[in-house]
Amino acid sequence: MAKKITKAKVKTKTKTKTKSKPKRTKVICMSHKEDADGISSAALIREAFGGDCVLVDYPGQMDALEAIKNDEKLKTLFICDLGLSNKNQDSFVKVLSELRKKKVSITYIDHHDLDKKILKQLEKIKVKLIHDINECTTVQVYDAFKSKLSQHSSFVAACAAITDYMEDRPRGSKLLQIYDRQFALINATVLTFNIVGHQKDPDYLLYLVEELAESKYPHDLPNTFEFAQIQVGKLASIIGKVKKSMKMMKNLAYMEVLDSGASGAVNFVLGLSGKDVGVAYKERVDYGIYAVSVRGSKSCKIHLGRIVNPLATELGGSGGGHDKACGAVIPKSKIKQFLKEFNVKLS
Ligand SMILES: [Mn+2]
């Protein structure tokens, strides 16, 4: 009898040994791929902690997080510049709690509107939360980890603040003051045009992260100015198209974009219409949805992200963001309804 038990014990021991999971060593940063704040946040995390970078847009955010969750080598996860919506916030917390149970360290750094309930849940599962809606994400990454970062990273953060319209904030403006304003503006702008124009080229976006992490200036990377010039030319041609095809409702102007990004057209829709709210949307055939960009004028007093978030969820999509700049994913068949109800909610 006793012999049998010993044998069984030995067997179990070997079993656990062969079954033991690979050692968790990997650092991953998941960040927003569509603008300079997301790319720059990823670059500063890369400079401070090394590791791999996963760049995502809002439609692909949860699929990417799911894939990261299944990486058995993951030890440390950073999530940067990715806001949550009513639609995905619960599954976001769920995935993060599963990772926390596996002792993965998680730092979530962001500046989008965040549901208080979700904030509490994230604190409860001990996700390190760095969240200030008044500074861009990269400035917050810089502040949190500056002891591990080069002087150059303050420049990258200043550029990110410019492109997120947050260079007038307390910490953002302090960083910009270190540098010549025009020098920072042109670098921020060249960087942005190279990011926007390479959305379908993930390797180039990762290359940008790498180069910024290695203290390179956007103006110093080969062909960035030439590429930006082409993008600016495309943008100029959008002005004419916006004038021709934008449509007005009482409280907003809108336009379907066919051949550029929605975010490139939306500022022209806002500006040229004279309305307080501009909407541009573009079909994403791969997801069967419309990617929607929304902008508010300076005199718009309504927090647009907080209206768009529940409205998009109601229509089976998702959305949210800032007071004067936000976005949504809307099912293809619901776009007219979205515009109609958004217009009503703005009055
Ligand atoms: Mn941002």
Side-chain angles (χ1 to χ4, degrees), residues 32 35 37-38 81 110-112 136-137 164 322:
H32 187 205
D35 64 34
D37 194 26
D81 200 37
D110 190 51
H111 65 136
H112 298 88
C136 77
T137 305
D164 262 20
H322 308 294

Short mmCIF file of all heavy atoms in Angstrom, two decimals, residues 32 35 37-38 81 110-112 136-137 164 322, ligand 1:
data_model
loop_
_atom_site.label_atom_id
_atom_site.label_comp_id
_atom_site.label_asym_id
_atom_site.label_seq_id
_atom_site.Cartn_x
_atom_site.Cartn_y
_atom_site.Cartn_z
N HIS A 32 -1.80 52.71 -29.20
CA HIS A 32 -2.65 53.20 -30.29
C HIS A 32 -1.80 53.51 -31.52
O HIS A 32 -0.82 54.24 -31.42
CB HIS A 32 -3.37 54.46 -29.79
CG HIS A 32 -4.40 54.96 -30.73
ND1 HIS A 32 -4.79 56.28 -30.75
CD2 HIS A 32 -5.11 54.34 -31.70
CE1 HIS A 32 -5.71 56.44 -31.68
NE2 HIS A 32 -5.93 55.29 -32.27
N ASP A 35 -2.10 57.66 -34.15
CA ASP A 35 -1.58 59.03 -34.02
C ASP A 35 -0.25 59.09 -33.28
O ASP A 35 0.25 58.09 -32.76
CB ASP A 35 -2.62 59.96 -33.36
CG ASP A 35 -2.93 59.57 -31.94
OD1 ASP A 35 -2.04 59.08 -31.24
OD2 ASP A 35 -4.09 59.77 -31.52
N ASP A 37 0.59 60.40 -30.49
CA ASP A 37 0.59 60.13 -29.04
C ASP A 37 0.75 58.63 -28.78
O ASP A 37 1.53 58.23 -27.91
CB ASP A 37 -0.70 60.67 -28.41
CG ASP A 37 -0.62 60.73 -26.89
OD1 ASP A 37 0.50 60.84 -26.35
OD2 ASP A 37 -1.69 60.66 -26.24
N GLY A 38 0.03 57.82 -29.53
CA GLY A 38 0.13 56.37 -29.36
C GLY A 38 1.50 55.84 -29.74
O GLY A 38 2.12 55.05 -29.00
N ASP A 81 -2.63 54.89 -24.38
CA ASP A 81 -3.40 55.75 -25.28
C ASP A 81 -4.57 55.03 -25.94
O ASP A 81 -4.92 55.33 -27.07
CB ASP A 81 -2.46 56.34 -26.36
CG ASP A 81 -3.05 57.59 -27.01
OD1 ASP A 81 -3.70 58.38 -26.30
OD2 ASP A 81 -2.87 57.77 -28.23
N ASP A 110 -3.35 56.36 -19.84
CA ASP A 110 -4.29 56.89 -20.82
C ASP A 110 -4.84 58.25 -20.39
O ASP A 110 -4.66 58.68 -19.25
CB ASP A 110 -5.44 55.91 -21.03
CG ASP A 110 -6.31 56.31 -22.20
OD1 ASP A 110 -5.77 56.55 -23.29
OD2 ASP A 110 -7.55 56.42 -22.02
N HIS A 111 -5.52 58.92 -21.31
CA HIS A 111 -6.11 60.22 -20.98
C HIS A 111 -7.52 60.38 -21.55
O HIS A 111 -8.02 61.48 -21.68
CB HIS A 111 -5.20 61.36 -21.46
CG HIS A 111 -5.06 61.43 -22.96
ND1 HIS A 111 -5.12 62.61 -23.65
CD2 HIS A 111 -4.86 60.48 -23.89
CE1 HIS A 111 -4.95 62.37 -24.94
NE2 HIS A 111 -4.79 61.09 -25.11
N HIS A 112 -8.15 59.26 -21.93
CA HIS A 112 -9.53 59.33 -22.40
C HIS A 112 -10.47 59.20 -21.21
O HIS A 112 -10.09 58.68 -20.16
CB HIS A 112 -9.80 58.22 -23.42
CG HIS A 112 -8.96 58.32 -24.65
ND1 HIS A 112 -7.72 57.75 -24.75
CD2 HIS A 112 -9.17 58.96 -25.83
CE1 HIS A 112 -7.19 58.02 -25.94
NE2 HIS A 112 -8.06 58.76 -26.62
N CYS A 136 -1.59 64.57 -22.45
CA CYS A 136 -1.57 63.46 -23.40
C CYS A 136 -0.85 62.25 -22.78
O CYS A 136 -0.13 62.38 -21.78
CB CYS A 136 -0.94 63.88 -24.72
SG CYS A 136 0.85 63.97 -24.69
N THR A 137 -1.04 61.10 -23.38
CA THR A 137 -0.49 59.87 -22.79
C THR A 137 1.03 59.90 -22.71
O THR A 137 1.62 59.54 -21.69
CB THR A 137 -0.94 58.64 -23.60
OG1 THR A 137 -2.38 58.66 -23.68
CG2 THR A 137 -0.51 57.35 -22.94
N ASP A 164 -1.85 66.05 -30.05
CA ASP A 164 -3.09 65.78 -29.32
C ASP A 164 -3.76 67.08 -28.83
O ASP A 164 -4.66 67.03 -28.00
CB ASP A 164 -2.82 64.86 -28.12
CG ASP A 164 -3.16 63.41 -28.43
OD1 ASP A 164 -3.22 63.06 -29.61
OD2 ASP A 164 -3.38 62.64 -27.48
N HIS A 322 -12.54 62.14 -26.18
CA HIS A 322 -12.39 63.42 -25.48
C HIS A 322 -13.63 64.30 -25.65
O HIS A 322 -14.56 63.95 -26.36
CB HIS A 322 -11.17 64.14 -26.03
CG HIS A 322 -9.93 63.30 -26.02
ND1 HIS A 322 -9.33 62.87 -24.87
CD2 HIS A 322 -9.20 62.78 -27.03
CE1 HIS A 322 -8.27 62.15 -25.16
NE2 HIS A 322 -8.17 62.06 -26.48
MN MN B 1 -3.73 60.48 -27.07
#
